[in-house]
Amino acid sequence: MEQQFLNIISPISSSLNNLIYEFEQPEPAPEIIKRRPPSPIRRTKSPRLIYKRRMSSHSNLAKTSVGLRELAKKIGQAPLTWESPPKRVLIVTKISDSSLTQMAVDVSSWLLRLGMIVYIEKPLYESYCTIPGADSIEIHEYKKEKGDNFLFWDAEFCATRGADEIDFVITFGGDGTVLFAAWLFQQKVPPIIPFNLGSLGFLTVFGKEGMVNTIQGLIENEKVLNDLVVDRGPSPFLSKLELYGNNSHLTTVQADGLVIATPTGSTAYSLSAGGSVVHPDVSAILVTPICPHTLSFRPMILPDTMDIRILVPEDSRCTAWVSFDGRHRVHLTAGDSIQIVASQFPVPTVCLVEQSEDWFHGLETCLAWNKRERQKSLYKSM
């Protein structure tokens, strides 16, 4: 399953108007019509170049659009195959949770016994060493004997070399841990195996039970197949933001803020603000206002080919704050703007069954989607 990213200045576009022309038949080479040489008495003119163009018919364009949809569908569901068995795994979890720290260390020890090269966060290892009796734990022996196979990662490693050196990532926690793992790499993200050990598990489709079999099956089979928020911060005034799309002014936002989300993030803050739930196969950018001071400002779904820009105007009564997946809060003052474009680097995550089935299952189990008592029949059974 591929999760879409947003680049701040995450696939095949659903906007066919821009893509069709890239797949049109190329123009034929110019055809030059040669004329007889002029007589010496007449004034000469340069030869004329006559071009013959072949325009694509409506039926050809329709076929192209259907083909693009099918291509996008196949790419989104395509399994990723390693050229050789995976050897390097990076583990991400919450350091503050001792139970998750214990689990991360236990899984690391098991992976080391399988001959894998394991990367963990150094503060996690140091935190584990403070646990009474930890000196006798097996992983310390591996640290001494197989130092080359037991390594530490940090944000700099992930951002510079991690995507090329790591075969897959294992996360222990909730959806926030998955988002943090994706943020670490920024561009190319290795496949992520997310285990649900947090409070919300919409993105984490694998449970704790059967963890070893899940990881081992992935290794042996050699196959693998969230939002930006601008708000008013502590100010008591309403936010005033100018929203642009492809350098054209779309509207003036007067609200508590604005959520720009991917389809994957449509089930998070955007959902709470009244935004639509969008299937991750849909290539789109969601624009959802937060408590707008108008009855007519409805959430929008825009094509992911559109460049979005949010500007804090000079006449705004307050400044604004922007956060990225709930992290790295940045202060925007009058005249500042932020540009959002869809990233070309999706985040691959391993599916439990199949992408759509996992997604709808998450809607039902995590968000209780469309759950109600079944309507009784008009006639009682005899």
Side-chain angles (χ1 to χ4, degrees):
M1 170 166 50
E2 292 187 349
Q3 316 291 348
Q4 190 182 18
F5 250 0
L6 293 179
N7 269 352
I8 313 302
I9 335 226
S10 122
I12 296 294
S13 170
S14 61
S15 176
L16 299 175
N17 294 331
N18 293 335
L19 292 182
I20 286 175
Y21 297 104
E22 297 180 9
F23 289 84
E24 284 184 348
Q25 294 292 339
E27 293 182 354
E31 182 177 305
I32 303 176
I33 298 180
K34 297 182 179 180
R35 301 182 182 276
R36 294 177 59 185
S39 64
I41 304 175
R42 294 186 299 174
R43 182 176 296 177
T44 62
K45 293 183 180 180
S46 300
R48 289 187 301 160
L49 300 181
I50 300 178
Y51 295 86
K52 293 183 178 181
R53 294 176 179 243
R54 183 159 60 92
M55 302 300 292
S56 297
S57 66
H58 176 76
S59 60
N60 287 338
L61 293 178
K63 292 178 181 178
T64 303
S65 65
V66 173
L68 287 173
R69 293 192 189 100
E70 291 298 320
L71 180 60
K73 181 178 179 180
K74 291 179 180 179
I75 290 177
Q77 298 176 352
L80 305 177
T81 305
W82 284 299
E83 295 179 354
S84 59
K87 294 291 294 182
R88 298 173 178 267
V89 55
L90 185 143
I91 295 178
V92 181
T93 189
K94 295 180 180 179
I95 301 176
S96 58
D97 192 324
S98 59
S99 62
L100 296 183
T101 299
Q102 177 72 57
M103 183 173 298
V105 171
D106 291 344
V107 171
S108 298
S109 300
W110 171 68
L111 290 171
L112 287 167
R113 292 198 300 271
L114 295 180
M116 301 287 289
I117 300 174
V118 180
Y119 291 76
I120 69 170
E121 197 172 7
K122 190 173 183 179
L124 184 147
Y125 179 75
E126 294 173 343
S127 174
Y128 184 72
C129 291
T130 62
I131 300 176
D135 291 339
S136 61
I137 301 301
E138 183 181 17
I139 194 169
H140 293 278
E141 300 301 322
Y142 279 101
K143 178 60 180 171
K144 295 176 182 178
E145 298 176 8
K146 300 182 180 181
D148 293 339
N149 284 11
F150 188 68
L151 305 172
F152 297 128
W153 64 263
D154 54 21
E156 182 181 359
F157 166 79
C158 295
T160 56
R161 300 183 289 117
D164 296 324
E165 296 188 15
I166 299 301
D167 292 319
F168 64 94
V169 178
I170 297 176
T171 65
F172 300 119
D175 292 355
T177 308
V178 178
L179 295 175
F180 175 69
W183 172 84
L184 285 171
F185 293 90
Q186 291 293 308
Q187 295 187 345
K188 292 189 296 182
V189 183
I192 298 175
I193 309 177
F195 289 96
N196 182 14
L197 298 165
S199 56
L200 182 64
F202 193 83
L203 300 179
T204 50
V205 296
F206 294 97
K208 179 181 178 181
E209 299 76 11
M211 181 184 303
V212 171
N213 292 334
T214 299
I215 300 174
Q216 194 162 17
L218 176 66
I219 297 172
E220 294 176 353
N221 290 335
E222 304 183 17
K223 290 184 180 180
V224 284
L225 156 192
N226 185 15
D227 51 62
L228 176 149
V229 178
V230 182
D231 59 67
R232 60 189 176 95
S235 173
F237 299 108
L238 207 63
S239 288
K240 181 189 287 187
L241 304 169
E242 303 294 349
L243 180 64
Y244 294 84
N246 290 341
N247 296 321
S248 297
H249 184 262
L250 301 181
T251 190
T252 299
V253 180
Q254 298 183 100
D256 279 352
L258 199 62
V259 179
I260 309 296
T262 65
T264 300
S266 68
T267 55
Y269 197 172
S270 177
L271 175 68
S272 301
S276 300
V277 177
V278 181
H279 191 282
D281 270 352
V282 179
S283 300
I285 297 177
L286 286 74
V287 179
T288 306
I290 305 172
C291 299
H293 195 240
T294 174
L295 296 176
S296 58
F297 193 178
R298 309 306 302 161
M300 298 181 295
I301 300 177
L302 304 177
D304 68 350
T305 55
M306 181 173 289
D307 291 355
I308 307 298
R309 188 165 69 95
I310 302 172
L311 169 70
V312 181
E314 297 290 345
D315 62 347
S316 177
R317 292 189 179 184
C318 66
T319 59
W321 292 81
V322 58
S323 60
F324 313 93
D325 281 339
R327 301 167 55 87
H328 304 286
R329 199 162 170 82
V330 178
H331 190 202
L332 302 178
T333 60
D336 290 343
S337 66
I338 185 166
Q339 185 173 354
I340 306 104
V341 297
S343 173
Q344 59 178 319
F345 300 102
V347 180
T349 58
V350 179
C351 297
L352 177 61
V353 180
E354 186 270 334
Q355 179 176 356
S356 290
E357 187 172 341
D358 289 351
W359 188 74
F360 281 106
H361 179 71
L363 287 181
E364 294 176 358
T365 58
C366 298
L367 301 177
W369 174 61
N370 198 31
K371 284 192 175 182
R372 71 178 297 272
E373 290 293 328
R374 187 178 179 87
Q375 190 176 42
K376 297 181 179 179
S377 173
L378 289 174
Y379 305 100
K380 294 182 179 180
S381 57
M382 301 301 293

